[in-house]
Amino acid sequence: MLRFFKYVGLGALIAYFFDPDNGHRRRALARDRIPALLRRSSDRAGRAVKSEVKATTKKVAHRKEADKPQPDDVTLARKVETEIFRDAEVPKGQINVNAENGKIVLRGEVEQPSMIKDLEERTRKVQGVREVENLLHTPGNTAPAAA
């Protein structure tokens, strides 16, 4: 059955291109349009590959954030807040972030003990943080005393 449809399609194609009235014009159009279509397709593919290569080289070049001068305390505290409050589960209104000469102090209350360690690790990864003092605690526990 499939072979039948192939032969019917081939016959229709031959009749279309070798029609005595319009066949010559149709063949000329096909000669003009098919190479243009292939050229456009290859140009698009070339641009896509070039774009991918450029994006990959930029990703490799910028894998690690470039070293920057030590930010002031306010900027550093905002950078830490941006990083640790990125997760929607972190209680933004219950955590206080202070910066003092590159030392970050985290104060407040969180629901899970695992989140305390996670927030401290995220804070340490922020560029410009020299030290982290973690005074976070869970509900029902007393806050750790500042050293």
Side-chain angles (χ1 to χ4, degrees):
M1 189 70 169
L2 184 62
R3 180 178 278 177
F4 172 75
F5 286 117
K6 285 183 182 178
Y7 288 130
V8 168
L10 181 62
L13 192 63
I14 289 171
Y16 181 79
F17 280 114
F18 291 103
D19 174 36
D21 296 329
N22 292 321
H24 181 70
R25 181 182 61 81
R26 291 175 181 159
R27 289 190 301 275
L29 278 172
R31 271 195 310 271
D32 291 342
R33 289 187 178 183
I34 290 174
L37 175 68
L38 295 175
R39 216 174 15 258
R40 282 192 305 268
S41 298
S42 67
D43 287 348
R44 284 187 197 124
R47 282 193 303 267
V49 168
K50 184 178 176 183
S51 173
E52 284 294 321
V53 167
K54 187 174 181 179
T56 303
T57 56
K58 294 292 183 184
K59 286 178 188 175
V60 168
H62 296 99
R63 269 184 96 165
K64 185 175 182 267
E65 191 175 352
D67 290 333
K68 297 176 184 169
Q70 180 67 23
D72 62 88
D73 290 341
V74 174
T75 304
L76 184 59
R78 297 304 161 255
K79 283 176 71 173
V80 169
E81 287 174 353
T82 300
E83 184 61 36
I84 67 173
F85 293 145
R86 196 167 280 171
D87 188 4
E89 295 178 8
V90 177
K92 296 170 184 59
Q94 298 175 351
I95 298 175
N96 186 357
V97 178
N98 291 335
E100 302 160 0
N101 298 324
K103 176 182 174 183
I104 298 294
V105 181
L106 299 174
R107 293 184 181 88
E109 187 176 276
V110 294
E111 294 295 324
Q112 302 145 353
S114 62
M115 189 179 287
I116 293 172
K117 293 290 183 196
D118 183 48
L119 292 174
E120 184 175 347
E121 288 174 17
R122 284 198 218 165
T123 302
R124 289 187 192 283
K125 289 180 182 177
V126 175
Q127 190 176 22
V129 173
R130 295 184 180 148
E131 185 182 346
V132 177
E133 184 175 352
N134 191 348
L135 302 177
L136 296 172
H137 60 94
T138 55
N141 293 336
T142 59

